[in-house]
Amino acid sequence: MHNQLTPWKDKILFTPGPLTTSPGTKQAMLRDLGSRDTAFIQLVRNVRSRLLEIAEAPKDEYACVIMQGSGTFGIEAVISSAIPQDGKLLVLINGAYGRRILSIAAIHGIARESIDYGEEKPVDPASVRQALERDPAITHVMAVHCETTTGIINDVAAIGGITRAASKRFLVDSMSAFGGVPLNVKKANIDFIISSSNKCIEGVPGFSFIIAHNEALAECKGRARTLVLDLYAQWEGLEKDGQFRFTPPTHALMAFSHALLELEQEGGVQARAARYAKNHDCVLRGMRDLGFTAFLPDALQGHIITSFCYPNHPRFDFADFYARLNAKGYVIYPGKVSNAACFRIGHIGRMDTNDARDLLSAVRDTLVEMGITLSGS
Ligand SMILES: Cc1ncc(COP(=O)(O)O)c(C=O)c1O
């Protein structure tokens, strides 16, 4: 237990979220604000407007909808609201989050098709064109921007060009990339893009948000398969009187509003991406020097999160490695790659290369404690 007499330092979260947030963002939550308070309604209006700016989505063509719950709630809201009863979804899969999209479509009884590229390959836009030519019943296409399973970044702008040329709607799960990977949503021909409060904007968990093209959003009217995840009704409520249909995460929104201010002060998405890229370069170089191998080749590796293979050493035990790093104040993340033993180190959140170097020293000390010598360390 911490009380005011025991100072403590939070562990640094090298994870894909929840992640380390700034003191200012944490402080911004320390208020009680009623959900119908005009200050809160104004804050929500500002947040929605600033998210459109970050997406480079013109305000007369796109709308921002905030949905309570984690990122998956936003994804399920879009899938279950956008695709009509006679529609068909093509899912482009190269990791666990792509597979989850397919599961959501299955639960809602949505007709679906998928292309699985394996976890070591990016989505191939040419294959999307061929799939659309082969199956004219497909009405919607969905891809993951940064597949957090490995850290691979898919070229959503190239896929968007193909879906637009074929007059299909394009849905993007940009959970771990939005705000940390520059993207012009209009130029990329994206109809719905989803992210959440606790990723590259560096807020705390509590909600997801969706940037939707007005025409695509209008089509959602009457299509929802659930009450709470009805994207159109949620948008309509927010537009009508600025209020949520159900209790909003007021504190998470206050924190997020401050986090957006800090993103602006940092220099916007480009500057944030540059900081994350430096974190990534520092960790990758340092881990290689210690004898670790990244799962992906450099050409495919994005700057959001990196998967490292378990070292081939009899004394390496991930649970022990994780616990020892945790005790030193550094939280890494288990792997999600299906056919390789990996762990992950995230590069997003309120941290810089000093933190990355501290993590690397802790990894070095941990290997010594475990009696592990890798070629390189
Ligand atoms: C690409 C991607 N999609 C979906 C999710 C799910 O988000 P949540 O756990 O907030 O529901 C994540 C979480 O890390 C993610 O990285």
Side-chain angles (χ1 to χ4, degrees):
M1 276 294 286
H2 299 295
N3 59 40
Q4 287 184 328
L5 299 175
T6 23
W8 86 95
K9 191 171 176 286
D10 281 330
K11 292 170 186 168
I12 302 181
L13 305 181
F14 291 86
T15 64
L19 32 75
T20 294
T21 56
S22 76
T25 295
K26 285 188 263 282
Q27 284 282 343
M29 287 188 287
L30 301 180
R31 287 188 68 196
D32 296 317
L33 200 53
S35 60
R36 282 155 203 265
D37 194 306
T38 49
F40 181 67
I41 290 171
Q42 187 55 42
L43 182 145
V44 171
R45 197 170 289 134
N46 284 342
V47 163
R48 292 174 65 213
S49 164
R50 274 141 79 190
L51 285 171
L52 289 171
E53 287 160 17
I54 291 167
E56 301 181 51
K59 289 181 184 157
D60 55 344
E61 290 178 53
Y62 287 83
C64 175
V65 187
I66 297 172
M67 186 63 76
Q68 298 94 325
S70 80
T72 310
F73 289 62
I75 292 174
E76 185 151 356
V78 169
I79 295 172
S80 61
S81 301
I83 301 158
Q85 291 298 333
D86 58 353
K88 185 169 184 180
L89 178 66
L90 171 64
V91 187
L92 310 172
I93 300 175
N94 55 349
Y97 295 102
R99 287 193 289 277
R100 185 180 291 176
I101 290 169
L102 200 60
S103 306
I104 292 171
I107 279 178
H108 291 286
I110 292 168
R112 60 209 174 271
E113 185 59 67
S114 62
I115 308 176
D116 197 327
Y117 299 87
E119 291 172 350
E120 287 157 86
K121 288 206 188 92
V123 170
D124 169 21
S127 68
V128 180
R129 185 187 297 111
Q130 287 154 11
L132 294 177
E133 282 166 4
R134 257 196 323 270
D135 187 352
I138 293 167
T139 52
H140 293 66
V141 177
M142 187 155 187
V144 179
H145 190 185
C146 171
E147 187 34 277
T148 323
T149 305
T150 55
I152 210 165
I153 295 184
N154 290 310
D155 186 351
V156 289
I159 305 164
I162 286 163
T163 55
R164 178 54 49 93
S167 302
K168 311 295 178 187
R169 291 284 180 216
F170 186 32
L171 289 49
V172 176
D173 167 358
S174 185
M175 207 62 66
S176 60
F178 188 91
V181 176
L183 177 71
N184 182 312
V185 166
K186 179 179 160 77
K187 284 193 187 144
N189 291 298
I190 295 170
D191 294 298
F192 299 93
I193 188 164
I194 307 125
S195 185
S196 74
S197 51
N198 57 285
K199 301 286 188 195
C200 298
I201 308 290
E202 300 184 355
V204 303
F207 62 91
S208 57
F209 55 86
I210 296 108
I211 312 280
H213 191 274
N214 287 341
E215 282 170 22
L217 184 61
E219 288 168 5
C220 295
K221 188 172 184 180
R223 285 185 182 172
R225 292 163 174 85
T226 72
L227 178 83
V228 288
L229 298 178
D230 183 337
L231 189 67
Y232 186 85
Q234 185 86 348
W235 169 78
E236 206 173 35
L238 288 168
E239 283 296 300
K240 194 173 70 189
D241 53 11
Q243 291 180 14
F244 284 78
R245 294 177 299 152
F246 313 111
T247 306
T250 47
H251 298 81
L253 273 154
M254 286 187 266
F256 192 76
S257 175
H258 183 85
L260 282 169
L261 211 63
E262 291 194 358
L263 173 61
E264 210 172 289
Q265 284 162 356
E266 188 173 353
V269 177
Q270 296 282 356
R272 181 147 297 180
R275 173 163 60 88
Y276 291 169
K278 275 192 197 157
N279 291 347
H280 162 255
D281 291 348
C282 179
V283 167
L284 187 62
R285 216 170 320 112
M287 289 295 280
R288 279 198 177 130
D289 288 348
L290 290 170
F292 287 90
T293 310
F295 175 73
L296 287 177
D298 286 359
L300 296 180
Q301 180 63 60
H303 59 268
I304 298 294
I305 191 164
T306 307
S307 276
F308 290 97
C309 303
Y310 284 7
N312 188 12
H313 190 287
R315 290 216 190 91
F316 184 83
D317 171 65
F318 177 70
D320 188 25
F321 181 68
Y322 176 93
R324 287 171 186 273
L325 281 174
N326 197 291
K328 292 178 179 60
Y330 303 94
V331 181
I332 60 168
Y333 215 56
K336 222 174 168 66
V337 176
S338 47
N339 59 359
C342 289
F343 62 88
R344 290 178 287 176
I345 297 182
H347 313 297
I348 61 179
R350 184 83 340 203
M351 59 188 179
D352 60 20
T353 47
N354 290 319
D355 302 300
R357 278 191 284 272
D358 289 347
L359 169 71
L360 292 165
S361 310
V363 170
R364 189 180 305 112
D365 293 348
T366 300
L367 290 177
V368 171
E369 283 165 24
M370 293 172 78
I372 297 174
T373 311
L374 303 174
S375 52
S377 58

